[in-house]
Amino acid sequence: MEKLPKIGIPLIIVVIIVIIAFAKSAVTIGSGEAGVLYRTFGGGVVTDEPPLGEGFHLVAPWNDVIKYEVRQQELFEKMKVLSSNGLEIQIDASAWYLPVYNDLGNLHQSLGENYLQRVIQPAIRSAARSVVGRYTPEQLYSSKRDAIQDEIYTETKKILEDQYVQLNEVLVRDVTLPPTIKEAIERKLKQEQESLEYEFRLVTAAKEAEKVIIEAQGKADANRILSASLTDKILQDKGIDATIKLSESPNSKVIVIGSGDSGMPIILGNQ
């Protein structure tokens, strides 16, 4: 009976050690995550094997697992950059990114968990400064929003090409100009719009005038052709036709049409 406590204490210690070891060995990777395995006695970060996927895993208790989110994430940036003429412009942009899954070990080894601050933010800021510096404030405000968005995406993606990060999209949400510059651009755009409307009215009026002239010319040509074709014989025949129709009226009348071949007047009558 006296030996039981002596046996029980080591057993309890062993059980505790086993529980701790199991707790250290059990790793659960959550949804949208992946784990990078770090082997303390086996070369450090594992880069030649895929990362640990979602679910339950057992690893040696002396090793470690670093979890990364592998879903698409968003970086929102407010940046102050200079236009081509040296004016300060504020750009509000979003970048959609995620780590390259099979290169997660390389990402952890070369950049670490704060890779967002180390490479993505500097890359998008550098690209934005480079792209915006090619345009005037007026272009940025009006017609070039889509162009600078595409160019910032292209340049940022080029910078991140070998950084184990996948860039999906860059969205320029807003371009903020100094108030005085914005007001001047809006006045200019309004004047240009009014000028275009005035030009449109002039062109429309000119086309209407041209249409009236063409129609009048057509009528004049038609009358001229008709006058040229009306000979005395045709006019006489038309007059005779009209008189005959008039004589056929039920009303009594006497109509003198001129003279026939005998020189005597032709008299049409109806009683």
Side-chain angles (χ1 to χ4, degrees):
M1 295 294 294
E2 293 178 358
K3 293 182 180 180
L4 285 177
K6 294 180 181 180
I7 297 174
I9 292 174
L11 183 61
I12 293 172
I13 294 174
V14 170
V15 170
I16 292 173
I17 292 173
V18 169
I19 292 173
I20 294 173
F22 181 79
K24 288 281 292 182
S25 301
V27 177
T28 301
I29 306 296
S31 176
E33 295 180 335
V36 175
L37 180 62
Y38 180 85
R39 291 177 177 153
T40 305
F41 304 111
V45 177
V46 176
T47 59
D48 56 353
E49 297 177 11
L52 302 178
E54 298 176 2
F56 180 80
H57 300 272
L58 284 174
V59 298
W62 51 84
N63 291 338
D64 195 11
V65 174
I66 301 93
K67 299 177 184 178
Y68 279 84
E69 184 173 0
V70 292
R71 287 176 290 206
Q72 178 173 276
Q73 301 163 67
E74 181 179 23
L75 165 66
F76 182 75
E77 280 287 292
K78 281 182 175 288
M79 299 169 283
K80 291 187 181 296
V81 292
L82 298 179
S83 64
S84 61
N85 55 0
L87 290 174
E88 188 176 76
I89 311 294
Q90 179 173 299
I91 300 290
D92 295 351
S94 291
W96 295 347
Y97 70 95
L98 69 160
V100 177
Y101 187 87
N102 289 328
D103 286 327
L104 207 55
N106 291 316
L107 175 67
H108 180 71
Q109 188 177 57
S110 60
L111 299 173
E113 296 176 75
N114 59 342
Y115 66 93
L116 171 63
Q117 292 78 22
R118 287 187 173 178
V119 294
I120 297 180
Q121 282 183 329
I124 193 172
R125 289 171 182 172
S126 174
R129 284 194 298 269
S130 174
V131 170
V132 174
R134 303 170 192 158
Y135 295 99
T136 64
E138 184 176 351
Q139 290 173 322
L140 297 172
Y141 183 76
S142 56
S143 61
K144 296 298 183 179
R145 180 77 60 88
D146 292 339
I148 66 170
Q149 177 173 288
D150 294 340
E151 290 179 26
I152 291 174
Y153 167 76
T154 301
E155 294 204 13
T156 306
K157 189 172 183 179
K158 185 177 180 181
I159 296 172
L160 298 175
E161 189 173 2
D162 299 322
Q163 301 298 325
Y164 314 111
V165 175
Q166 177 181 318
L167 182 68
N168 290 339
E169 191 65 82
V170 171
L171 304 174
V172 175
R173 301 187 180 277
D174 192 24
V175 176
T176 304
L177 305 179
T180 53
I181 301 300
K182 181 180 178 181
E183 291 171 3
I185 291 173
E186 288 177 346
R187 284 196 302 270
K188 181 180 178 182
L189 292 175
K190 183 179 179 181
Q191 291 171 356
E192 290 177 352
Q193 185 63 34
E194 291 174 349
S195 176
L196 289 174
E197 290 177 359
Y198 180 70
E199 289 178 5
F200 175 77
R201 288 197 297 269
L202 289 179
V203 170
T204 302
K207 288 184 177 180
E208 287 295 329
E210 183 180 356
K211 179 181 176 182
V212 172
I213 292 172
I214 291 173
E215 290 177 350
Q217 185 66 42
K219 290 180 180 179
D221 292 343
N223 291 333
R224 186 172 62 255
I225 293 170
L226 180 60
S227 298
S229 65
L230 292 178
T231 63
D232 292 341
K233 177 61 175 174
I234 292 175
L235 291 173
Q236 183 179 7
D237 291 342
K238 294 290 184 181
I240 293 172
D241 290 341
T243 304
I244 291 173
K245 289 181 180 179
L246 182 62
S247 69
E248 293 174 350
S249 172
N251 299 324
S252 297
K253 80 288 274 183
V254 175
I255 301 172
V256 180
I257 310 179
S259 58
D261 294 337
S262 61
M264 299 297 292
I266 300 174
I267 301 175
L268 301 177
N270 188 10
Q271 300 299 326

